Amino acid sequence: MTAGVDLGVPATQAIRSDEDVVRVRQLVRTTAVAVRLSLVDQTKLVTAASELARNTLIYGGGGTAEVTTVDDGRRRGVRVVFADDGPGIPDLDLAFTDGYTTGSGLGLGLSGARRLVDDFDIRTAAGEGTRITVTKWSR
């Protein structure tokens, strides 16, 4: 097993190219399988991760995805932290508007990615980059 899959040790993937976005998807899928998320939940998490990784690349100028397993005492899950040092998101309300897009992502946007996961946290400010943490829990 790879780090980040077995003992909650994070596995970090740089996001600097389209190939890295694919690597993030693969790492998230492998980790989701390891914690026994259902196929539906695996698909939701991988879809959200793909959108967020692409946003990290396109709008943040690249960054990282840190994937780890989590356990809250009742259930296990997968947490992914996307971080970049890009320009940040100047208007979060607008960015979370359904259907809002500034480019060529999957079309989910932040609001769609948020709906696909159980926990979603975003920290951003204009000129200070963006850090998004998502978690999907087993059912």
Side-chain angles (χ1 to χ4, degrees):
M1 292 206 182
T2 62
V5 173
D6 195 18
L7 300 173
V9 176
T12 302
Q13 171 63 56
I15 303 171
R16 306 227 182 286
S17 68
D18 289 335
E19 292 79 15
D20 291 335
V21 172
V22 172
R23 288 183 189 97
V24 169
R25 289 176 56 95
Q26 292 168 337
L27 179 58
V28 169
R29 168 87 58 201
T30 299
T31 308
V33 168
V35 300
R36 299 189 174 170
L37 291 184
S38 70
L39 183 58
V40 169
D41 285 342
Q42 290 173 36
T43 302
K44 287 179 178 180
L45 179 59
V46 169
T47 302
S50 183
E51 179 74 6
L52 296 171
R54 183 148 309 282
N55 286 355
T56 300
L57 176 63
I58 294 171
Y59 304 113
T64 59
E66 181 181 275
V67 182
T68 191
T69 60
V70 290
D71 188 324
D72 71 358
R74 296 180 300 126
R75 58 197 174 159
R76 295 184 76 200
V78 178
R79 177 167 295 143
V80 188
V81 179
F82 297 90
D84 67 61
D85 293 321
I89 302 170
D91 188 342
L92 269 180
D93 290 335
L94 180 60
F96 276 108
T97 302
D98 280 341
Y100 176 76
T101 182
T102 60
S104 59
L106 295 174
L108 291 174
L110 291 176
S111 62
R114 180 170 59 182
R115 282 193 297 272
L116 292 172
V117 297
D118 299 315
D119 300 325
F120 186 103
D121 180 70
I122 184 167
R123 310 277 177 199
T124 188
E128 296 183 15
T130 302
R131 180 182 176 95
I132 298 175
T133 304
V134 298
T135 307
K136 190 71 176 169
W137 295 102
S138 60
R139 305 271 171 234

